[in-house]
Amino acid sequence: MTTKVRCGWCEKDDLYRNYHDQEWGNPVYDDATLFEFLVLETFQAGLSWHTILKKRGNFRAAFNQFDYVKIATYAEDKVQELLQDAGIIRNQLKIRATVTNAIAFLNVQKEFGSFSAYIWQFTAGKPVVNHWQTLSEIPATTPLSDAISKDLKKRGFKFVGSTVVYAHLQATGMVNDHLISCWKRTS
């Protein structure tokens, strides 16, 4: 029996391994999935990704399956309801940012036809493939994440600093940061 060689960050448990094997770094062109990851990365700021993954189902239920059209219409009573939901991260600024980001997301869709068309233009529609040998080589930000962060902020998005954006790029496969020894590099 051969063991898959994975990026070391995901060996904490099966939740992490499954996420790594099935999602992380796979190119995403679907607006609904791109929005889901944007919300999750927003809530992850300052916390561990593992914490967010454990609560992902709760986030889906609380935020109408990440339906950005519905989220854009959330009124104050819904924000207050979310602040009482122990299944998610009850950070008022992040909850309000999710509503703001849903509105901004819709505006980007109107301008570009889709959020996917907007975000992927930064990489000419193809993943940036890095060739890291160790986890310590992987940066927290890059000039690409700096540029996207700046543009998102200009468009009214909140909680989209360069580190959050870089994590989003990795998660959605716009940047392939699987280590060169990882089985995902050859799959």
Side-chain angles (χ1 to χ4, degrees):
M1 181 175 170
T2 57
T3 303
K4 288 181 179 175
V5 175
R6 295 179 176 91
C7 302
W9 62 263
C10 73
E11 292 296 354
K12 180 175 186 158
D13 62 14
D14 285 340
L15 178 65
Y16 249 12
R17 281 186 284 277
N18 290 334
Y19 170 69
H20 171 274
D21 290 357
Q22 296 168 18
E23 293 186 81
W24 192 75
N26 292 342
V28 173
Y29 296 93
D30 170 68
D31 274 11
T33 305
L34 288 167
F35 184 75
E36 176 178 354
F37 275 109
L38 186 63
V39 172
L40 294 174
E41 295 295 350
T42 297
F43 277 91
Q44 187 268 331
L47 302 170
S48 78
W49 185 243
H50 193 262
T51 297
I52 301 304
L53 283 180
K54 287 193 300 187
K55 293 179 175 279
R56 191 177 189 181
N58 297 337
F59 276 105
R60 280 186 178 136
F63 285 97
N64 294 96
Q65 307 303 310
F66 299 109
D67 182 338
Y68 44 85
V69 175
K70 286 183 182 175
I71 294 169
T73 66
Y74 282 3
E76 185 60 27
D77 60 332
K78 179 62 175 182
V79 170
Q80 292 304 315
E81 176 188 318
L82 290 166
L83 285 169
Q84 302 305 312
D85 189 336
I88 65 169
I89 307 300
R90 295 178 289 182
N91 179 302
Q92 182 170 192
L93 294 175
K94 292 177 181 182
I95 290 169
R96 291 185 187 283
T98 299
V99 177
T100 298
N101 290 350
I103 295 165
F105 194 89
L106 289 169
N107 290 334
V108 166
Q109 284 182 320
K110 285 179 195 161
E111 183 176 349
F112 292 88
S114 70
F115 186 82
S116 179
Y118 160 75
I119 196 86
W120 279 96
Q121 75 176 336
F122 288 93
T123 64
K126 297 180 289 191
V128 173
V129 180
N130 291 315
H131 302 281
W132 311 121
Q133 293 186 39
T134 65
L135 292 176
S136 63
E137 293 176 83
I138 301 174
T141 64
T142 63
L144 174 63
S145 65
D146 294 345
I148 295 172
S149 171
K150 183 178 178 182
D151 198 72
L152 287 168
K153 288 176 184 177
K154 183 179 80 177
R155 294 174 184 283
F157 286 83
K158 305 289 184 201
F159 275 91
V160 289
S162 191
T163 302
V164 168
V165 169
Y166 195 69
H168 186 265
L169 299 178
Q170 292 172 308
T172 60
M174 289 184 65
V175 172
N176 183 341
D177 273 350
H178 286 284
L179 298 179
I180 58 172
S181 59
C182 179
W183 77 272
K184 292 283 287 188
R185 290 303 289 254
T186 58
S187 65

